[in-house]
Amino acid sequence: MAAQSTALVINLDQLGKDDIEMVGGKNASLGEMISHLSDLGVSVPGGFATTSNAFNQFLTETGLLDKINSELKSLDVNDVNKLAETGKKIRTWIIEQELPKDLEQAVRASFEAMSDGKEIAVAVRSSATAEDLPDASFAGQQETFLNIRGIDNVLIAIKEVFASLYNDRAISYRVHKGFEHEGVALSAAVQRMVRSETGAAGVMFTLDTESGFDQVVFITSSYGLGEMVVQGAVNPDEFYVSKQLLANGKPAIIRRNLGSKHKKMIYGDEGSTTKSVKIIDVEKQDRMQFSLSTEELNSLAKQAMTIEKHYGQAMDIEWAKDGDTNEIFIVQARPETVKSRQDSNVMERYIINTGDAKILCEGRSIGQRIGAGKVRVVSNLNEMDKVQDGDVLVSDMTDPDWEPVMKRASAIITNRGGRTCHAAIIARELGVPAIVGCGNATELLVDGQDVTVSCAEGDTGFIYEGQIDFEVQTNSVESMPELAFKVMMNVGNPDRAFSFTQMPNEGIGLARLEFIINRMIGVHPKALLNMNSLPREISQAINERIAGYASPVDFYVDKLVEGISTLAVAFMDQPVIVRMSDFKSNEYANLLGGKLYEPSEENPMLGFRGASRYVSDNFRDCFELECKALKRVRDEMGLTNVEIMIPFVRTVGEAKQVIELLEKNGLKRGENGLRIIMMCELPTNCLLAEEFLEHFDGFSIGSNDLTQLTLGLDRDSGIVSHLFDERDPAVKKLLSMAIDACRKAGKYVGICGQGPSDHPDLAMWLMEQGISSVSLNPDSVLDTWFFLAGEEVK
């Protein structure tokens, strides 16, 4: 584009990705997508942009450049008050200055050609020439103005955009990133508005923003104009779409989280920069529904994958759905600059033992770290100086204006915001743990209070009372020593699945279905099957939980599908052994509505659980819902790496009944490659191992229950807990019998109990016995692996 280097204004369709010096990263990217991706299904609204030449000419001809440089030369950006004073002074100079006549005429001509004499609404967006580089996001550093109407308002908005290069946050950010102020110019894009005020808008990433897992598209969405999501002013819906399933033409949405979406931004009464938009409440019936359909999510994910492929790197993309036409448009795309830049061979683990620490509040976790310090509740920018190094910043919302003080904090907590807002992006880039969307953190937390902020426990972040000790472990997994068996993992929480894939592993040896039921559903399946006969208060509570899903039963099955498919996609090339629900009656009773259906047992550990439940007349319909979910995951989604495990099988006759019931529900052993494993956890399973193996494809040994039943002690009893040891000779003898029977039959044998995680010497003994695999708790994988290899943890 050298021939146009002196141009003041240029149409977006004449730009490409190599024009960053002329129009900045965002605008170059818009032009690149219009020029190269339109025919591939990526829709980008057209428009034009002012150039860096126009910006530099404006500052030079008006004498502003020297004044600005003089102000910034001696500025200490760590002095928050002085920073605010200087930034405001510079911005006022720019806004009060007239644009050069030739620039104004060029903008008028381009706007007239764009509008073709009609009244149109446009967005005026900023794009800095140092923006969206691979090692710096500059997220939200400059301004965007929406629903600007009329050329006079467009000209004002352009000056406002120019002035935003000197926002407090932008000045501070450039200094900390090592950019010279005079080396950065600004381009203003004037882009046709998408009517998302009657539709929806949001942000999507072509990887998981927390773990860096790159086989999903992460989409956030809320009603109205997208700035509410970008600014973190609303808690949006969240979705994960599997890239591989989408490419294979399979159902690809593996997670849905319903956001509160209380507010939305719509067009204002005027098209000026001060009254172009307004914020209104969202109707309750809309809040209780997802803001995007399956078809729309698939369309968005496909466009994201096309953009990622074209750029050859992970991308951060803003999108908008026109509510009048239902068309979906891409309005910005930039490189993702945090997770995609991290060394995947180095694992950083934050480990905390919270014990009985009180949870003060919770929200959506940003990053996977832990921070602790004194609470500083900050209500506005004027109170920034309250936050000292190591404090925990607590506010209603933290937008990028707060960046100068965010870096001081050990952690950040907000009432509002989602995981893709600008503040979340900055928090990740700074390496500061943040919990957003807490709802009322500013009311629950008290200034000066000691707290610990944990983002190391999954999607949900927890704020604990007091400063709790935590450990940070850094390990290299670049070259793990070879072992004589496979090391798998026990993973119950789908929230952590993407993170756990970074560890060396051979798949999931135990995925507990009851963890998914407890965490993602929280309702007894019988209650969902019998909604019409429930007490009013219980049915009301259930109706709130199932919002967004077609029916109570659909909610249960869909949530099971989401949990299982998340695990299966995370470990796509490895087996994922899903254990059917193994709640005891007292645990089922704790679910919403559970007390209506569960018996009262003196010893639930030895009562109505496992296979006995599945084949019973009064639980079989619940078990069939689990079967329905697994069949959908395997047959419809094509995730045939999912295998089934049956727990607590007391007799060979019971084993036969369960296999027949699975087949009746479309889960036939051997069909579509289905393996059905039996949990070997009763002495009878070991003693009659050959007979049980006639009905199953192998054993997964549950050492906890096997030890309890062999030694005749209650593992939950503190009085006899000192006798509980999986290494007892009697337990080992039964283990040997089970392993030998499986090896003789040529079938799988693994162990998924707690024993090998707690006792590496037991894992060593199992390896010597010829066991196929050991499934460990994720936090013990590296230590046990190196122990078995005779090496120290690196």
Side-chain angles (χ1 to χ4, degrees), residues 467-488:
Q467 294 199 32
I468 303 170
D469 289 337
F470 59 90
E471 181 183 356
V472 184
Q473 292 185 359
T474 303
N475 300 113
S476 171
V477 296
E478 191 167 5
S479 55
M480 300 296 291
E482 290 189 11
L483 297 177
F485 58 19
K486 295 180 178 179
V487 174
M488 305 176 81

Side-chain angles (χ1 to χ4, degrees), residues 111-128:
F111 186 77
E112 185 175 340
M114 178 182 177
S115 60
D116 195 24
K118 301 172 185 174
E119 182 178 329
I120 63 169
V122 297
V124 182
R125 304 180 183 278
S126 63
S127 179

Side-chain angles (χ1 to χ4, degrees), residues 613-631:
R613 272 189 179 266
Y614 309 156
V615 300
S616 67
D617 291 337
N618 64 348
F619 192 81
R620 186 174 301 179
D621 52 356
C622 301
F623 178 69
E624 288 174 347
L625 297 182
E626 298 179 23
C627 294
K628 186 176 181 180
L630 278 157
K631 181 172 172 56

Side-chain angles (χ1 to χ4, degrees), residues 43 194 200 296 303 319-329:
S43 300
V194 178
E296 289 165 345
Q303 292 195 56
W319 61 271
K321 172 193 168 185
D322 191 308
D324 296 347
T325 66
N326 288 327
E327 293 178 278
I328 293 177
F329 294 90

Side-chain angles (χ1 to χ4, degrees), residues 99-201:
L99 290 173
K101 289 298 181 185
D102 51 351
L103 174 56
E104 180 180 331
Q105 290 170 0
V107 170
R108 286 181 179 275
S110 293
F111 186 77
E112 185 175 340
M114 178 182 177
S115 60
D116 195 24
K118 301 172 185 174
E119 182 178 329
I120 63 169
V122 297
V124 182
R125 304 180 183 278
S126 63
S127 179
T129 57
E131 196 166 35
D132 301 331
L133 299 180
D135 59 348
S137 72
F138 285 75
Q141 297 304 306
Q142 284 81 45
E143 298 294 345
T144 290
F145 297 95
L146 305 176
N147 185 35
I148 303 300
R149 284 172 276 165
I151 183 59
D152 291 338
N153 285 325
V154 168
L155 290 167
I156 293 171
I158 288 174
K159 284 199 296 181
E160 296 268 11
V161 165
F162 284 177
S164 71
L165 186 65
Y166 300 99
N167 281 333
D168 304 351
R169 61 187 185 253
I171 295 171
S172 172
Y173 192 87
R174 287 195 294 274
V175 169
H176 288 290
K177 283 291 181 180
F179 289 92
E180 296 292 337
H181 295 297
E182 57 267 34
V184 182
L186 206 66
S187 165
V190 179
Q191 191 178 24
R192 188 178 291 271
M193 278 291 297
V194 178
R195 287 296 302 270
S196 62
E197 68 152 357
T198 57

